[in-house]
Amino acid sequence: MRAVEIDRFGGVEELHIVEDRQQPSPAEGEVLVEVTGAGVNPIDYKIRDGSSGVAQKLTEADFPLVLGREGAGVVAELGPGVTDLEVGQRVFGMAPMGHPGGWYAQYVVQPASALAPSPEGVADEILAGSALAGITAWTAVHDLGQVRADDIVLVHGAGGGVGQFVVQLCLAAGAGVYAVASPRHRERLESYGAHYVDYTSEDFTQVTPSPTLIVDGVYFGTYEPSMDHLAPGGRIVMLPTLADLTPAKERGIEISVPAIAPDRERLCALAQQIADGALHVLISEVVPLAQVARAHEIVETGHTQGKVVLDVDLES
Ligand SMILES: NC(=O)c1ccc[n+]([C@@H]2O[C@H](COP(=O)([O-])OP(=O)(O)OC[C@H]3O[C@@H](n4cnc5c(N)ncnc54)[C@H](OP(=O)(O)O)[C@@H]3O)[C@@H](O)[C@H]2O)c1
């Protein structure tokens, strides 16, 4: 099968397309998915260059490694014991932590529990980029942030993959949301109902009330001023997993980082909200699989609008 492999950690030049990768087979509890689209996430380039915690746990046996931690497609084969999905069914999902991934390929094997049925009327292009960011946002906002209607939430990185979900989930919970992003995200964030803050021309600490909850998808440059600006008793949810939480803890601030896991019930709830039009997902770029290096370069700039998705076979 066709796949994007890396033989070793490094720059985008390490990404190469092969046509003869052996198609994986589903074991007990697993499903073979014929992939239509794969979401591109910051963790993908952090695995590619070896800097992420996930990369550090990989062994030689995992190489050549197929990247990609989420996507959409069609069930091609069921492993033994899988009774709740059907061959031919459209699905989307994300790899669990500790799983090597593999969505940048024509076929991927995933645990059945990491997949959910795709709702009618929502394109694979959207769903391919929704599982990982959606689950991250849900974990950040509900499990860790425990957002309430009386919260004032400040979101750094509001226009990006996870940020767009965080903003909308907090608004749906009734909270007031200050969405910090560069101006090209302004119209979209205001259309969701958020107060927009332009970090390129404004100091967020001067133009927003003290937040009771901060969800920070940026970390570098935002952490220190966020701690100073947080309301007494406020909480911070930091998205980058390698963030140093010590400075906040030393100040007695409740701070956490999401540890994400696929969850079919949550994936179904997110998909239903997308289908109903309650949750908007911007896919700003759909990049052919052959141009995977360009997709990584876009995401690696750190200024992605919504999500970037790889077209594996979206026309099917
Ligand atoms: N803990 C987990 O399990 C988990 C899961 C998913 C992601 N993450 C991490 O969370 C972070 C965000 O992920 P993502 O997928 O949302 O990334 P992303 O799509 O690249 O979004 C980041 C956003 O931040 C904006 N930004 C950059 N500098 C900013 C600043 N100073 N203030 C406000 N916004 C700024 C960027 O655009 P503009 O500059 O144009 O506004 C961009 O839209 C990454 O570090 C990722 O690795 C962690």
Side-chain angles (χ1 to χ4, degrees):
M1 66 173 186
R2 195 164 200 231
V4 177
E5 290 183 348
I6 57 166
D7 294 328
R8 63 187 76 81
F9 298 131
V12 291
E13 69 284 355
E14 295 298 338
L15 298 161
H16 56 266
I17 309 254
V18 295
E19 302 290 343
D20 57 353
R21 174 130 183 149
Q22 193 178 352
Q23 192 176 304
S25 297
E28 176 95 28
E30 292 183 332
V31 174
L32 179 72
V33 179
E34 185 171 4
V35 180
T36 51
V40 182
N41 291 286
I43 192 166
D44 298 357
Y45 73 75
K46 295 176 191 175
I47 293 176
R48 190 207 69 222
D49 69 15
S51 64
S52 87
V54 176
Q56 283 147 28
K57 290 193 185 106
L58 293 169
T59 65
E60 259 180 45
D62 292 311
F63 290 85
L65 178 74
V66 180
L67 297 176
R69 305 206 59 81
E70 66 169 342
V74 177
V75 174
E77 191 184 332
L78 301 174
V82 180
T83 54
D84 49 6
L85 293 171
E86 285 173 21
V87 171
Q89 191 173 13
R90 291 175 59 230
V91 289
F92 76 110
M94 58 170 278
M97 279 302 141
H99 187 287
W103 282 91
Y104 292 8
Q106 275 181 304
Y107 292 90
V108 67
V109 161
Q110 294 283 282
S113 57
L115 300 167
S118 299
E120 285 292 315
V122 183
D124 276 14
E125 177 181 314
I126 304 282
L127 295 167
S130 294
L132 193 145
I135 290 283
T136 305
W138 192 299
T139 308
V141 166
H142 293 302
D143 297 345
L144 302 177
Q146 307 219 330
V147 72
R148 299 183 307 258
D150 60 354
D151 272 318
I152 297 170
V153 187
L154 186 73
V155 184
H156 296 297
V162 181
Q164 62 181 351
F165 283 94
V166 169
V167 167
Q168 294 176 84
L169 292 179
C170 289
L171 287 165
V177 177
Y178 291 80
V180 189
S182 72
R184 59 217 177 99
H185 311 280
R186 176 177 202 141
E187 204 179 314
R188 182 166 53 104
L189 293 168
E190 286 182 342
S191 78
Y192 298 154
H195 304 281
Y196 168 73
V197 180
D198 176 2
Y199 76 84
T200 68
S201 65
E202 294 172 310
D203 174 351
F204 71 85
T205 66
Q206 301 301 308
V207 297
T208 61
S210 290
T212 54
L213 173 63
I214 296 177
V215 182
D216 190 345
V218 178
Y219 179 59
F220 294 105
T222 53
Y223 187 21
E224 286 290 330
S226 287
M227 288 191 285
D228 294 340
H229 192 43
L230 190 68
R235 300 93 75 201
I236 297 178
V237 180
M238 191 58 79
L239 298 181
T241 42
L242 296 179
D244 178 7
L245 307 187
T246 318
K249 287 183 175 165
E250 282 175 355
R251 291 169 64 159
I253 294 171
E254 191 185 321
I255 186 166
S256 51
V257 176
I260 55 170
D263 174 320
R264 185 178 295 167
E265 208 175 305
R266 286 183 177 187
L267 288 172
C268 287
L270 287 162
Q272 196 53 51
Q273 288 183 43
I274 296 168
D276 293 346
L279 201 46
H280 172 257
V281 182
L282 174 70
I283 307 294
S284 60
E285 300 257 5
V286 177
V287 178
L289 190 68
Q291 294 173 30
V292 59
R294 184 165 75 81
H296 271 225
E297 281 162 358
I298 296 167
V299 174
E300 220 164 335
T301 62
H303 301 289
T304 311
Q305 299 199 61
K307 292 283 304 233
V308 173
V309 161
L310 284 175
D311 179 353
V312 182
D313 192 12
L314 281 169
E315 299 307 313
S316 67

